[in-house]
Amino acid sequence: MDTELVIRAQHGDEGAFTSLAVAVGDRLHAVAHRILRDTDLAEDATQQALLNVWRDLPQLRDPARFDAWSYRLLVRACYAEARRTRSASNLRLLPANEPMGADGTSLVIDRDQLERGFRRLSIDHRAVVVLHHYLDLPLSEVAETLGVPEGTVRSRLHYAMRGLRAALDADARPTRREGSQ
Amino acid sequence: MSTDRDVERIVRSWMDEGVTALPDRVLDAVLDQLPATPQRRVSWLARTFAVSNTTTRLALAAAVVAALVFGIRFLSTSTIGDNTEPTPTPSVAASPTVSPISRPNASWPLDAGTYSLPDFPLGVTFTVPSGWHTCSDSLVEQGVCLTQTDVLFETRLSFLIVENVVSDPCGLGDEPLDPPVGPSVDDLVTAISNLAGFEAGAPAVVTIDGYDGKQFTLTSPQDPGCDFKTWMTADRTNGIHAGEVNLLVVLDVNGTRLVIAGAYYPEHPGATAERAAMEKIMASVQISE
């Protein structure tokens, strides 16, 4: 991120903030969408996060840390959205394009199982999975972004991946039973 | 059986799909709100502004003195009885009333003072120190949060009218308890204490502003493994994060059940002070029907 833009926005330059928001908006929204699994909630969370970035930017001491700091505000906004609206009936699934796996098997079943498994995870666990496996942040940076110890991040990631693995294996079990009969 | 590497590959592939672009209307909405969203200034940043000449310095000094004089005057007269009075001098921070709920997601910084909840089913006033802001979810769930930028989860004090609890805190939907919680303080205390997976402290008798009730703590597990849900207002179901502790007060205000919930995180370095601050606010609560 252009630290000059960050510094100018810190001092109230709305034009600089506009450039910042354009630069990071897509990325923040993509992360929010993957954590919340809902289009409307993700848009609301991203909007609130960007406003919070503007409001709290003067409190960011190290402009070079803008990316990690903005992710923290975004995750916080995701928590707020999840807390505010928790009706499962409002959730909409991401579009399915039915991509094929490298071995020729359809990933559609995996996706459905993952969707269900992911939704069973708490927002705390989802955030760790998304920051690590989508943004490719090292666990130390995930910990810094979330403001929790690295051990907590490892624990949450382990727990989340175990849950997702169980969701995938739950789909595989009926297939094996059918084959053995 | 999937291997760990299989799962990781599938998860990463799945995450790469889906929405990435932020709709222009969302960005436009953000930019439209900038003029009405003041930045939170801090002293270290203010020092980086160059004061270029004597005239500017004198003007700034005069403004600071004026602000101090006004602030002291305001703080000295901001009593509970003043809450609904119009503020004589225009000032962003001087309104002693918690902001309206028309924008429930918005947060507004509060000066130290006594505040009331607008359009809440009961008349509730309370006194907050500096460093708090509004954080309300609906008309029947209003409150204040400690302003913190270095933690993920906010320390939050809420005033709620709770109607029921969930039947399963870890359930996929928001299924209410059936039959629903009864109308008394003890009914709700028992229902919340019985929520599966939580650790509930023993209820103690408490009296706030002459109204009797019960006080207890509810602690969420560190690894709930789901989005833990708890109680329900008319508008939404409350969720609780891993490790969150709620200091709960349930009062009977002549037949209306008022819940005061102070949420904090013991893993915060300042958790003890945060809880003490919330207890102090709770002790300042005054209630009218």
Side-chain angles (χ1 to χ4, degrees), chain B residues 220-249:
Chain B
S220 174
Q222 282 293 344
D223 237 342
C226 65
D227 283 339
F228 245 22
K229 290 160 283 191
T230 53
W231 47 80
M232 305 167 118
T233 67
D235 292 317
R236 72 176 198 96
T237 302
N238 182 65
I240 279 190
H241 297 303
E244 177 179 330
V245 175
N246 270 263
L247 178 60
L248 292 165
V249 171

PDB file of all heavy atoms in Angstrom, chain B residues 220-249:
ATOM      1  N   SER B 220     -18.685 -17.973  27.900  1.00  0.00           N
ATOM      2  CA  SER B 220     -18.695 -18.811  26.697  1.00  0.00           C
ATOM      3  C   SER B 220     -17.423 -19.658  26.672  1.00  0.00           C
ATOM      4  O   SER B 220     -16.367 -19.199  27.097  1.00  0.00           O
ATOM      5  CB  SER B 220     -18.752 -17.912  25.463  1.00  0.00           C
ATOM      6  OG  SER B 220     -18.638 -18.659  24.285  1.00  0.00           O
ATOM      7  N   PRO B 221     -17.506 -20.881  26.166  1.00  0.00           N
ATOM      8  CA  PRO B 221     -16.299 -21.708  26.074  1.00  0.00           C
ATOM      9  C   PRO B 221     -15.285 -21.115  25.104  1.00  0.00           C
ATOM     10  O   PRO B 221     -15.654 -20.360  24.205  1.00  0.00           O
ATOM     11  CB  PRO B 221     -16.826 -23.061  25.578  1.00  0.00           C
ATOM     12  CG  PRO B 221     -18.126 -22.760  24.948  1.00  0.00           C
ATOM     13  CD  PRO B 221     -18.694 -21.574  25.652  1.00  0.00           C
ATOM     14  N   GLN B 222     -14.017 -21.441  25.296  1.00  0.00           N
ATOM     15  CA  GLN B 222     -12.964 -20.932  24.417  1.00  0.00           C
ATOM     16  C   GLN B 222     -13.094 -21.500  23.010  1.00  0.00           C
ATOM     17  O   GLN B 222     -12.699 -20.881  22.042  1.00  0.00           O
ATOM     18  CB  GLN B 222     -11.585 -21.270  24.993  1.00  0.00           C
ATOM     19  CG  GLN B 222     -11.152 -20.369  26.135  1.00  0.00           C
ATOM     20  CD  GLN B 222     -10.896 -18.940  25.686  1.00  0.00           C
ATOM     21  OE1 GLN B 222     -10.757 -18.647  24.499  1.00  0.00           O
ATOM     22  NE2 GLN B 222     -10.873 -18.015  26.642  1.00  0.00           N
ATOM     23  N   ASP B 223     -13.618 -22.694  22.893  1.00  0.00           N
ATOM     24  CA  ASP B 223     -13.744 -23.333  21.584  1.00  0.00           C
ATOM     25  C   ASP B 223     -15.155 -23.871  21.387  1.00  0.00           C
ATOM     26  O   ASP B 223     -15.374 -25.079  21.433  1.00  0.00           O
ATOM     27  CB  ASP B 223     -12.741 -24.488  21.484  1.00  0.00           C
ATOM     28  CG  ASP B 223     -11.818 -24.300  20.303  1.00  0.00           C
ATOM     29  OD1 ASP B 223     -12.161 -23.501  19.415  1.00  0.00           O
ATOM     30  OD2 ASP B 223     -10.769 -24.970  20.266  1.00  0.00           O
ATOM     31  N   PRO B 224     -16.121 -22.990  21.165  1.00  0.00           N
ATOM     32  CA  PRO B 224     -17.504 -23.477  21.058  1.00  0.00           C
ATOM     33  C   PRO B 224     -17.732 -24.332  19.813  1.00  0.00           C
ATOM     34  O   PRO B 224     -18.607 -25.179  19.798  1.00  0.00           O
ATOM     35  CB  PRO B 224     -18.332 -22.193  21.001  1.00  0.00           C
ATOM     36  CG  PRO B 224     -17.395 -21.147  20.516  1.00  0.00           C
ATOM     37  CD  PRO B 224     -16.040 -21.533  21.018  1.00  0.00           C
ATOM     38  N   GLY B 225     -16.952 -24.113  18.775  1.00  0.00           N
ATOM     39  CA  GLY B 225     -17.102 -24.925  17.567  1.00  0.00           C
ATOM     40  C   GLY B 225     -18.287 -24.531  16.711  1.00  0.00           C
ATOM     41  O   GLY B 225     -18.645 -25.238  15.778  1.00  0.00           O
ATOM     42  N   CYS B 226     -18.922 -23.433  17.027  1.00  0.00           N
ATOM     43  CA  CYS B 226     -20.057 -22.962  16.234  1.00  0.00           C
ATOM     44  C   CYS B 226     -20.284 -21.502  16.605  1.00  0.00           C
ATOM     45  O   CYS B 226     -19.609 -20.980  17.477  1.00  0.00           O
ATOM     46  CB  CYS B 226     -21.314 -23.780  16.549  1.00  0.00           C
ATOM     47  SG  CYS B 226     -21.874 -23.571  18.241  1.00  0.00           S
ATOM     48  N   ASP B 227     -21.222 -20.864  15.919  1.00  0.00           N
ATOM     49  CA  ASP B 227     -21.613 -19.515  16.322  1.00  0.00           C
ATOM     50  C   ASP B 227     -22.562 -19.641  17.499  1.00  0.00           C
ATOM     51  O   ASP B 227     -23.751 -19.902  17.320  1.00  0.00           O
ATOM     52  CB  ASP B 227     -22.304 -18.787  15.173  1.00  0.00           C
ATOM     53  CG  ASP B 227     -21.301 -18.310  14.143  1.00  0.00           C
ATOM     54  OD1 ASP B 227     -20.120 -18.187  14.489  1.00  0.00           O
ATOM     55  OD2 ASP B 227     -21.708 -18.069  13.003  1.00  0.00           O
ATOM     56  N   PHE B 228     -22.049 -19.472  18.682  1.00  0.00           N
ATOM     57  CA  PHE B 228     -22.866 -19.654  19.880  1.00  0.00           C
ATOM     58  C   PHE B 228     -23.930 -18.566  19.969  1.00  0.00           C
ATOM     59  O   PHE B 228     -23.630 -17.385  19.827  1.00  0.00           O
ATOM     60  CB  PHE B 228     -21.965 -19.607  21.106  1.00  0.00           C
ATOM     61  CG  PHE B 228     -21.906 -20.908  21.848  1.00  0.00           C
ATOM     62  CD1 PHE B 228     -22.225 -22.098  21.226  1.00  0.00           C
ATOM     63  CD2 PHE B 228     -21.556 -20.936  23.179  1.00  0.00           C
ATOM     64  CE1 PHE B 228     -22.181 -23.297  21.914  1.00  0.00           C
ATOM     65  CE2 PHE B 228     -21.498 -22.127  23.889  1.00  0.00           C
ATOM     66  CZ  PHE B 228     -21.819 -23.305  23.247  1.00  0.00           C
ATOM     67  N   LYS B 229     -25.157 -18.974  20.205  1.00  0.00           N
ATOM     68  CA  LYS B 229     -26.268 -18.026  20.335  1.00  0.00           C
ATOM     69  C   LYS B 229     -26.864 -18.113  21.737  1.00  0.00           C
ATOM     70  O   LYS B 229     -26.739 -19.145  22.403  1.00  0.00           O
ATOM     71  CB  LYS B 229     -27.328 -18.331  19.279  1.00  0.00           C
ATOM     72  CG  LYS B 229     -26.867 -17.991  17.876  1.00  0.00           C
ATOM     73  CD  LYS B 229     -27.650 -18.699  16.819  1.00  0.00           C
ATOM     74  CE  LYS B 229     -27.199 -20.141  16.703  1.00  0.00           C
ATOM     75  NZ  LYS B 229     -27.731 -20.825  15.518  1.00  0.00           N
ATOM     76  N   THR B 230     -27.518 -17.049  22.136  1.00  0.00           N
ATOM     77  CA  THR B 230     -28.004 -17.016  23.513  1.00  0.00           C
ATOM     78  C   THR B 230     -29.463 -16.575  23.578  1.00  0.00           C
ATOM     79  O   THR B 230     -30.361 -17.362  23.395  1.00  0.00           O
ATOM     80  CB  THR B 230     -27.145 -16.054  24.363  1.00  0.00           C
ATOM     81  OG1 THR B 230     -27.102 -14.773  23.707  1.00  0.00           O
ATOM     82  CG2 THR B 230     -25.749 -16.610  24.565  1.00  0.00           C
ATOM     83  N   TRP B 231     -29.671 -15.302  23.783  1.00  0.00           N
ATOM     84  CA  TRP B 231     -31.015 -14.791  24.021  1.00  0.00           C
ATOM     85  C   TRP B 231     -31.548 -14.051  22.793  1.00  0.00           C
ATOM     86  O   TRP B 231     -30.811 -13.708  21.887  1.00  0.00           O
ATOM     87  CB  TRP B 231     -31.023 -13.842  25.227  1.00  0.00           C
ATOM     88  CG  TRP B 231     -29.928 -12.837  25.223  1.00  0.00           C
ATOM     89  CD1 TRP B 231     -29.871 -11.672  24.532  1.00  0.00           C
ATOM     90  CD2 TRP B 231     -28.702 -12.935  25.954  1.00  0.00           C
ATOM     91  NE1 TRP B 231     -28.699 -11.023  24.780  1.00  0.00           N
ATOM     92  CE2 TRP B 231     -27.962 -11.764  25.652  1.00  0.00           C
ATOM     93  CE3 TRP B 231     -28.163 -13.865  26.841  1.00  0.00           C
ATOM     94  CZ2 TRP B 231     -26.709 -11.520  26.209  1.00  0.00           C
ATOM     95  CZ3 TRP B 231     -26.911 -13.618  27.384  1.00  0.00           C
ATOM     96  CH2 TRP B 231     -26.207 -12.464  27.073  1.00  0.00           C
ATOM     97  N   MET B 232     -32.870 -13.819  22.829  1.00  0.00           N
ATOM     98  CA  MET B 232     -33.526 -13.200  21.679  1.00  0.00           C
ATOM     99  C   MET B 232     -34.326 -11.978  22.119  1.00  0.00           C
ATOM    100  O   MET B 232     -35.106 -12.053  23.067  1.00  0.00           O
ATOM    101  CB  MET B 232     -34.471 -14.214  21.027  1.00  0.00           C
ATOM    102  CG  MET B 232     -33.778 -15.513  20.654  1.00  0.00           C
ATOM    103  SD  MET B 232     -34.956 -16.803  20.236  1.00  0.00           S
ATOM    104  CE  MET B 232     -34.504 -17.109  18.541  1.00  0.00           C
ATOM    105  N   THR B 233     -34.108 -10.872  21.401  1.00  0.00           N
ATOM    106  CA  THR B 233     -34.990  -9.721  21.567  1.00  0.00           C
ATOM    107  C   THR B 233     -36.051  -9.826  20.473  1.00  0.00           C
ATOM    108  O   THR B 233     -36.088 -10.792  19.717  1.00  0.00           O
ATOM    109  CB  THR B 233     -34.205  -8.404  21.403  1.00  0.00           C
ATOM    110  OG1 THR B 233     -33.771  -8.293  20.038  1.00  0.00           O
ATOM    111  CG2 THR B 233     -33.007  -8.354  22.326  1.00  0.00           C
ATOM    112  N   ALA B 234     -36.880  -8.808  20.374  1.00  0.00           N
ATOM    113  CA  ALA B 234     -37.890  -8.823  19.322  1.00  0.00           C
ATOM    114  C   ALA B 234     -37.252  -8.715  17.937  1.00  0.00           C
ATOM    115  O   ALA B 234     -37.868  -9.070  16.938  1.00  0.00           O
ATOM    116  CB  ALA B 234     -38.871  -7.674  19.531  1.00  0.00           C
ATOM    117  N   ASP B 235     -36.013  -8.236  17.874  1.00  0.00           N
ATOM    118  CA  ASP B 235     -35.390  -7.965  16.583  1.00  0.00           C
ATOM    119  C   ASP B 235     -34.332  -8.959  16.141  1.00  0.00           C
ATOM    120  O   ASP B 235     -34.088  -9.113  14.956  1.00  0.00           O
ATOM    121  CB  ASP B 235     -34.747  -6.571  16.593  1.00  0.00           C
ATOM    122  CG  ASP B 235     -35.784  -5.487  16.672  1.00  0.00           C
ATOM    123  OD1 ASP B 235     -36.785  -5.602  15.964  1.00  0.00           O
ATOM    124  OD2 ASP B 235     -35.585  -4.547  17.456  1.00  0.00           O
ATOM    125  N   ARG B 236     -33.661  -9.587  17.085  1.00  0.00           N
ATOM    126  CA  ARG B 236     -32.560 -10.435  16.643  1.00  0.00           C
ATOM    127  C   ARG B 236     -32.159 -11.418  17.738  1.00  0.00           C
ATOM    128  O   ARG B 236     -32.578 -11.312  18.886  1.00  0.00           O
ATOM    129  CB  ARG B 236     -31.350  -9.594  16.238  1.00  0.00           C
ATOM    130  CG  ARG B 236     -30.659  -8.977  17.414  1.00  0.00           C
ATOM    131  CD  ARG B 236     -29.403  -8.221  17.028  1.00  0.00           C
ATOM    132  NE  ARG B 236     -28.601  -8.039  18.236  1.00  0.00           N
ATOM    133  CZ  ARG B 236     -27.618  -8.834  18.595  1.00  0.00           C
ATOM    134  NH1 ARG B 236     -27.257  -9.840  17.836  1.00  0.00           N
ATOM    135  NH2 ARG B 236     -26.969  -8.636  19.718  1.00  0.00           N
ATOM    136  N   THR B 237     -31.334 -12.366  17.310  1.00  0.00           N
ATOM    137  CA  THR B 237     -30.775 -13.339  18.240  1.00  0.00           C
ATOM    138  C   THR B 237     -29.338 -12.942  18.538  1.00  0.00           C
ATOM    139  O   THR B 237     -28.563 -12.655  17.633  1.00  0.00           O
ATOM    140  CB  THR B 237     -30.797 -14.741  17.611  1.00  0.00           C
ATOM    141  OG1 THR B 237     -32.138 -15.063  17.263  1.00  0.00           O
ATOM    142  CG2 THR B 237     -30.249 -15.780  18.576  1.00  0.00           C
ATOM    143  N   ASN B 238     -28.980 -12.941  19.806  1.00  0.00           N
ATOM    144  CA  ASN B 238     -27.644 -12.522  20.195  1.00  0.00           C
ATOM    145  C   ASN B 238     -26.655 -13.665  20.027  1.00  0.00           C
ATOM    146  O   ASN B 238     -26.942 -14.813  20.337  1.00  0.00           O
ATOM    147  CB  ASN B 238     -27.639 -12.077  21.657  1.00  0.00           C
ATOM    148  CG  ASN B 238     -26.275 -11.583  22.094  1.00  0.00           C
ATOM    149  OD1 ASN B 238     -25.792 -10.565  21.594  1.00  0.00           O
ATOM    150  ND2 ASN B 238     -25.633 -12.315  22.988  1.00  0.00           N
ATOM    151  N   GLY B 239     -25.484 -13.340  19.550  1.00  0.00           N
ATOM    152  CA  GLY B 239     -24.405 -14.314  19.462  1.00  0.00           C
ATOM    153  C   GLY B 239     -23.303 -13.971  20.441  1.00  0.00           C
ATOM    154  O   GLY B 239     -23.189 -12.829  20.882  1.00  0.00           O
ATOM    155  N   ILE B 240     -22.512 -14.960  20.779  1.00  0.00           N
ATOM    156  CA  ILE B 240     -21.429 -14.749  21.743  1.00  0.00           C
ATOM    157  C   ILE B 240     -20.158 -15.334  21.161  1.00  0.00           C
ATOM    158  O   ILE B 240     -20.173 -16.400  20.552  1.00  0.00           O
ATOM    159  CB  ILE B 240     -21.799 -15.397  23.099  1.00  0.00           C
ATOM    160  CG1 ILE B 240     -22.713 -14.461  23.878  1.00  0.00           C
ATOM    161  CG2 ILE B 240     -20.573 -15.739  23.907  1.00  0.00           C
ATOM    162  CD1 ILE B 240     -22.952 -14.870  25.312  1.00  0.00           C
ATOM    163  N   HIS B 241     -19.047 -14.628  21.342  1.00  0.00           N
ATOM    164  CA  HIS B 241     -17.776 -15.095  20.805  1.00  0.00           C
ATOM    165  C   HIS B 241     -17.085 -16.036  21.788  1.00  0.00           C
ATOM    166  O   HIS B 241     -17.418 -16.083  22.975  1.00  0.00           O
ATOM    167  CB  HIS B 241     -16.864 -13.909  20.515  1.00  0.00           C
ATOM    168  CG  HIS B 241     -17.399 -12.997  19.464  1.00  0.00           C
ATOM    169  ND1 HIS B 241     -17.712 -13.442  18.208  1.00  0.00           N
ATOM    170  CD2 HIS B 241     -17.693 -11.682  19.490  1.00  0.00           C
ATOM    171  CE1 HIS B 241     -18.161 -12.426  17.491  1.00  0.00           C
ATOM    172  NE2 HIS B 241     -18.170 -11.351  18.248  1.00  0.00           N
ATOM    173  N   ALA B 242     -16.101 -16.738  21.262  1.00  0.00           N
ATOM    174  CA  ALA B 242     -15.318 -17.645  22.098  1.00  0.00           C
ATOM    175  C   ALA B 242     -14.682 -16.865  23.243  1.00  0.00           C
ATOM    176  O   ALA B 242     -14.079 -15.817  23.028  1.00  0.00           O
ATOM    177  CB  ALA B 242     -14.240 -18.312  21.261  1.00  0.00           C
ATOM    178  N   GLY B 243     -14.840 -17.368  24.451  1.00  0.00           N
ATOM    179  CA  GLY B 243     -14.201 -16.754  25.610  1.00  0.00           C
ATOM    180  C   GLY B 243     -14.878 -15.511  26.142  1.00  0.00           C
ATOM    181  O   GLY B 243     -14.409 -14.905  27.106  1.00  0.00           O
ATOM    182  N   GLU B 244     -15.985 -15.104  25.536  1.00  0.00           N
ATOM    183  CA  GLU B 244     -16.688 -13.896  26.000  1.00  0.00           C
ATOM    184  C   GLU B 244     -17.372 -14.153  27.335  1.00  0.00           C
ATOM    185  O   GLU B 244     -17.965 -15.209  27.560  1.00  0.00           O
ATOM    186  CB  GLU B 244     -17.730 -13.485  24.959  1.00  0.00           C
ATOM    187  CG  GLU B 244     -18.571 -12.276  25.359  1.00  0.00           C
ATOM    188  CD  GLU B 244     -19.571 -11.894  24.271  1.00  0.00           C
ATOM    189  OE1 GLU B 244     -19.271 -12.131  23.079  1.00  0.00           O
ATOM    190  OE2 GLU B 244     -20.650 -11.387  24.610  1.00  0.00           O
ATOM    191  N   VAL B 245     -17.272 -13.180  28.212  1.00  0.00           N
ATOM    192  CA  VAL B 245     -17.961 -13.250  29.497  1.00  0.00           C
ATOM    193  C   VAL B 245     -19.017 -12.154  29.538  1.00  0.00           C
ATOM    194  O   VAL B 245     -18.746 -11.017  29.141  1.00  0.00           O
ATOM    195  CB  VAL B 245     -16.978 -13.070  30.678  1.00  0.00           C
ATOM    196  CG1 VAL B 245     -17.726 -13.016  32.000  1.00  0.00           C
ATOM    197  CG2 VAL B 245     -15.957 -14.198  30.693  1.00  0.00           C
ATOM    198  N   ASN B 246     -20.191 -12.501  29.983  1.00  0.00           N
ATOM    199  CA  ASN B 246     -21.250 -11.502  30.153  1.00  0.00           C
ATOM    200  C   ASN B 246     -21.610 -11.374  31.620  1.00  0.00           C
ATOM    201  O   ASN B 246     -21.940 -12.374  32.271  1.00  0.00           O
ATOM    202  CB  ASN B 246     -22.487 -11.903  29.352  1.00  0.00           C
ATOM    203  CG  ASN B 246     -22.460 -11.351  27.935  1.00  0.00           C
ATOM    204  OD1 ASN B 246     -23.041 -10.318  27.649  1.00  0.00           O
ATOM    205  ND2 ASN B 246     -21.734 -12.043  27.074  1.00  0.00           N
ATOM    206  N   LEU B 247     -21.492 -10.156  32.107  1.00  0.00           N
ATOM    207  CA  LEU B 247     -21.967  -9.844  33.446  1.00  0.00           C
ATOM    208  C   LEU B 247     -23.423  -9.415  33.275  1.00  0.00           C
ATOM    209  O   LEU B 247     -23.705  -8.371  32.699  1.00  0.00           O
ATOM    210  CB  LEU B 247     -21.133  -8.709  34.039  1.00  0.00           C
ATOM    211  CG  LEU B 247     -21.506  -8.203  35.416  1.00  0.00           C
ATOM    212  CD1 LEU B 247     -21.411  -9.319  36.443  1.00  0.00           C
ATOM    213  CD2 LEU B 247     -20.611  -7.044  35.814  1.00  0.00           C
ATOM    214  N   LEU B 248     -24.332 -10.257  33.771  1.00  0.00           N
ATOM    215  CA  LEU B 248     -25.756 -10.049  33.479  1.00  0.00           C
ATOM    216  C   LEU B 248     -26.521  -9.594  34.718  1.00  0.00           C
ATOM    217  O   LEU B 248     -26.365 -10.171  35.806  1.00  0.00           O
ATOM    218  CB  LEU B 248     -26.368 -11.348  32.958  1.00  0.00           C
ATOM    219  CG  LEU B 248     -25.874 -11.790  31.574  1.00  0.00           C
ATOM    220  CD1 LEU B 248     -26.253 -13.243  31.314  1.00  0.00           C
ATOM    221  CD2 LEU B 248     -26.453 -10.896  30.492  1.00  0.00           C
ATOM    222  N   VAL B 249     -27.326  -8.586  34.510  1.00  0.00           N
ATOM    223  CA  VAL B 249     -28.253  -8.137  35.546  1.00  0.00           C
ATOM    224  C   VAL B 249     -29.654  -8.195  34.942  1.00  0.00           C
ATOM    225  O   VAL B 249     -29.886  -7.669  33.849  1.00  0.00           O
ATOM    226  CB  VAL B 249     -27.936  -6.695  36.007  1.00  0.00           C
ATOM    227  CG1 VAL B 249     -29.040  -6.170  36.915  1.00  0.00           C
ATOM    228  CG2 VAL B 249     -26.587  -6.645  36.711  1.00  0.00           C
TER     229      VAL B 249
END
